[in-house]
Amino acid sequence: MQTLTGNGLVRIERIVSRGHASPEGFWYDQAQNEFVLLAQGEAELELQDPAERIRLAPGDWLIIPAHRKHRVAWTNDRQDSVWLAVFY
């Protein structure tokens, strides 16, 4: 993870992962909304309340509302998955 810029209200990060998944039973529960764009690679996110799994390809994005629990279920292990995440 690399923080590109931010202030007290917004933070923009570049995240690179390869073959990564959140630990079993681990869920992110963030106080901020998150806009996430997959710029390169492949990934799958798992979200709760309601439960869903979302497969992402390059150019796909989504907004994760504050306190919606989510985790990285899978990223491609043959190439980097490059994410742009904006927390606001």
Side-chain angles (χ1 to χ4, degrees):
M1 177 204 52
Q2 174 187 18
T3 299
L4 301 176
T5 191
N7 59 32
L9 300 174
V10 176
R11 184 177 77 252
I12 301 173
E13 295 180 352
R14 178 180 181 266
I15 302 164
V16 179
S17 50
R18 181 185 285 232
H20 171 79
S22 299
E24 198 62 40
F26 172 84
W27 294 89
Y28 291 100
D29 184 0
Q30 299 162 171
Q32 293 180 297
N33 296 315
E34 179 181 359
F35 165 87
V36 64
L37 166 74
L38 186 65
Q40 173 185 310
E42 297 175 288
E44 188 170 272
L45 298 179
E46 185 176 1
L47 297 98
Q48 286 186 340
D49 302 320
E52 65 182 309
R53 289 177 79 100
I54 300 172
R55 184 84 178 238
L56 300 170
D60 289 343
W61 61 272
L62 77 140
I63 295 173
I64 304 169
H67 296 293
R68 183 163 186 203
K69 292 183 179 178
H70 62 284
R71 61 189 301 278
V72 177
W74 170 88
T75 61
N76 191 319
D77 63 358
R78 296 179 311 277
Q79 67 176 0
D80 287 345
S81 293
V82 181
W83 311 76
L84 180 68
V86 180
F87 300 88
Y88 61 98

